[in-house]
Amino acid sequence: HLARDDSAMSSYSDFKRRFEEREDIIWQEIFANNKDIIKIKKERFVLPNLKSIITSTIELSNRTGFRAMSLRDLSNDTGISMGALYSYIESKKRLMEMILGHVLRAVETTLGAEEVARLEPRPRLRWLLRNHVYLSEVMQPWFFFAYMEAKSFDRVGKRLAIENELRTEGLIASCIAAGAAAGVFRPVDALATAALIK
């Protein structure tokens, strides 16, 4: 969990270190959230291949585009046979949903933490913006995939990408609205301002 009090998360290096310390948890979470399609059940076998599949997908997509990337390309890049690949991802569509689902969970667990919601509006807004920039930096390839590839996604993928965007804007907007109600910020259109900030 990356949410901490304001002082503990004041530097990017702290944030990055905490993020890197929990990298194994990322793959465990993706595995846990996709057990319905991953046919291999032993975590020690699944996690290295899952990491390779998703990392390669993001890298290939960022180079050539997700639509242009084939599962054969992915098989060649990872060294995992086509048959084994299907044991992990079922389809290219499900692979996309795994990645987008994780981006949404990362935004939610990092920026939507309950202890952050309890901060006063000004420090909360500062915390949200700083940590959103930090999260965008450490997850840059994931965010690039989620937003720049959205045009090539199907309806479900586009909805997930939009949900990611709206979730962040909603957190910023609610903070701005709370600050305006408390007289800390000038009254503004909170949603429009959050969209501009984003």
Side-chain angles (χ1 to χ4, degrees), residues 53 71-72 74-76 78-88:
I53 290 165
L71 291 182
R72 176 68 59 198
L74 186 57
S75 173
N76 291 336
T78 59
I80 299 170
S81 71
M82 289 293 288
L85 209 53
Y86 282 112
S87 298
Y88 288 90

Side-chain angles (χ1 to χ4, degrees), residues 107-122:
V107 167
E108 189 59 47
T109 57
T110 304
L111 303 181
E114 285 182 31
E115 61 264 38
V116 178
R118 290 194 292 268
L119 293 172
E120 292 298 315
R122 189 177 298 279

Side-chain angles (χ1 to χ4, degrees), residues 52-64:
S52 178
I53 290 165
I54 290 177
T55 302
S56 287
T57 298
I58 291 170
E59 288 171 359
L60 286 167
S61 295
N62 290 351
R63 279 200 311 264
T64 63

Side-chain angles (χ1 to χ4, degrees), residues 40-139:
I40 293 109
K41 301 304 172 196
K42 289 197 185 304
E43 192 175 278
R44 65 192 173 96
F45 297 122
V46 172
L47 298 187
N49 284 341
L50 194 57
K51 178 179 179 179
S52 178
I53 290 165
I54 290 177
T55 302
S56 287
T57 298
I58 291 170
E59 288 171 359
L60 286 167
S61 295
N62 290 351
R63 279 200 311 264
T64 63
F66 184 69
R67 181 175 290 183
M69 183 202 84
S70 69
L71 291 182
R72 176 68 59 198
D73 295 331
L74 186 57
S75 173
N76 291 336
D77 198 62
T78 59
I80 299 170
S81 71
M82 289 293 288
L85 209 53
Y86 282 112
S87 298
Y88 288 90
I89 61 169
E90 189 178 80
S91 68
K92 194 171 159 184
K93 176 180 184 295
R94 285 303 300 263
L95 176 58
M96 170 202 66
E97 290 170 8
M98 275 184 194
I99 296 169
L100 295 178
H102 177 67
V103 173
L104 185 56
R105 280 188 299 279
V107 167
E108 189 59 47
T109 57
T110 304
L111 303 181
E114 285 182 31
E115 61 264 38
V116 178
R118 290 194 292 268
L119 293 172
E120 292 298 315
R122 189 177 298 279
R124 179 169 29 136
L125 184 60
R126 187 175 291 121
W127 191 98
L128 280 170
L129 299 184
R130 183 177 60 240
N131 285 279
H132 177 53
V133 170
Y134 291 172
L135 184 65
S136 299
E137 187 65 25
V138 297
M139 289 190 68

